[in-house]
Amino acid sequence: MHGKQTSGATMAAKDPVCGMQVEPAKAAGTLEHDGTSYYFCSRHCLETFRKDPARYAGHAEHAHHTHHASAAAKPATAGTQYTCPMHPEVLKDIPGDCPICGMALVPVGAAEEDSGELRDQTRRMWVGVALSIPLVILAMSPMVGIAEPFGLAPRVRGWVEFMLGTPVVLWVGWPFFVKFARSIRGWRLNMYSLIGLGVGLAYLFSLVAILLPGIF
């Protein structure tokens, strides 16, 4: 907890501003306040703390008292920082999602961008395309006068459509549902709140229509 003494600099400390765990030797900055050294994940958090230390001083865990900090390594030079395209005030030392809107953080300046999320989303997209093509054909055929495409009766066709659509919604769209849940949990409503709510309700509507065809 705040003010707990540690025997070395290897124990992680909690950034009092954003709550991230920080290794003292790799901290982007440190500041002494009321006899305690605080460690920060970024210069942005350091400056935020400096402007109003009383507001954040009680939020740090494993803060190092100065009389125990003599053996601690000096903070390493900050490496690549990541920010949100929509909220530039967000600065992190590691890639991830924006805590405000859920968008993927991007490197500040001309640093090389991590394309891991793009590769994952591209893979999911192509799987979704492969499953959606037959799904669209089955769903739209009755609209152009083909009552039983591929000889499938309406009831059977409905189940086939549902089985094709389920992995598209639950697997391809899983990253969006994660961000939807995060926006609701933190009550920071954004575009992922709208996407998750709309897609989730449509999927539940389809499930009910399949299980209870006479209810609608």
Side-chain angles (χ1 to χ4, degrees):
M1 301 301 295
H2 172 61
K4 182 177 179 180
Q5 297 181 3
T6 59
S7 58
T10 57
M11 181 176 292
K14 183 178 180 180
D15 186 318
V17 177
C18 69
M20 288 186 62
Q21 294 297 317
V22 181
E23 293 184 27
K26 298 180 180 180
T30 184
L31 183 68
E32 180 183 344
H33 176 71
D34 287 343
T36 301
S37 292
Y38 295 89
Y39 298 89
F40 303 89
C41 69
S42 67
R43 300 296 300 179
H44 173 76
C45 288
L46 170 61
E47 295 304 323
T48 300
F49 183 92
R50 195 193 304 276
K51 292 177 182 178
D52 190 5
R55 176 181 178 184
Y56 300 102
H59 296 173
E61 295 180 355
H62 307 308
H64 293 217
H65 285 278
T66 53
H67 59 272
H68 281 273
S70 59
K74 294 182 179 180
T77 303
T80 301
Q81 290 191 317
Y82 298 82
T83 187
C84 174
M86 299 295 295
H87 300 90
E89 68 274 17
V90 174
L91 287 174
K92 300 293 183 182
D93 287 340
I94 57 176
D97 295 330
C98 175
I100 298 176
C101 68
M103 292 185 65
L105 300 181
V106 298
V108 176
E112 182 179 356
E113 185 173 356
D114 180 10
S115 59
E117 183 178 27
L118 176 60
R119 291 194 299 271
D120 178 65
Q121 291 288 2
T122 300
R123 177 167 55 93
R124 292 175 186 268
M125 182 198 71
W126 284 117
V127 172
V129 168
L131 293 172
S132 297
I133 290 175
L135 174 59
V136 170
I137 293 174
L138 289 173
M140 295 296 105
S141 291
M143 305 296 178
V144 295
I146 305 176
E148 296 185 358
F150 305 106
L152 298 175
R155 178 70 172 165
V156 176
R157 178 169 53 84
W159 277 105
V160 174
E161 291 174 5
F162 183 76
M163 288 187 291
L164 289 170
T166 293
V168 175
V169 174
L170 299 185
W171 184 75
V172 177
W174 180 251
F176 295 95
F177 282 114
V178 171
K179 294 178 180 181
F180 162 71
R182 188 177 300 156
S183 72
I184 298 299
R185 185 170 57 249
W187 203 240
R188 293 180 178 272
L189 304 182
N190 50 52
M191 63 179 180
Y192 295 107
S193 309
L194 180 62
I195 293 171
L197 185 63
V199 175
L201 289 177
Y203 179 77
L204 291 178
F205 179 88
S206 300
L207 178 60
V208 173
I210 289 293
L211 297 178
L212 303 171
I215 196 172
F216 299 112

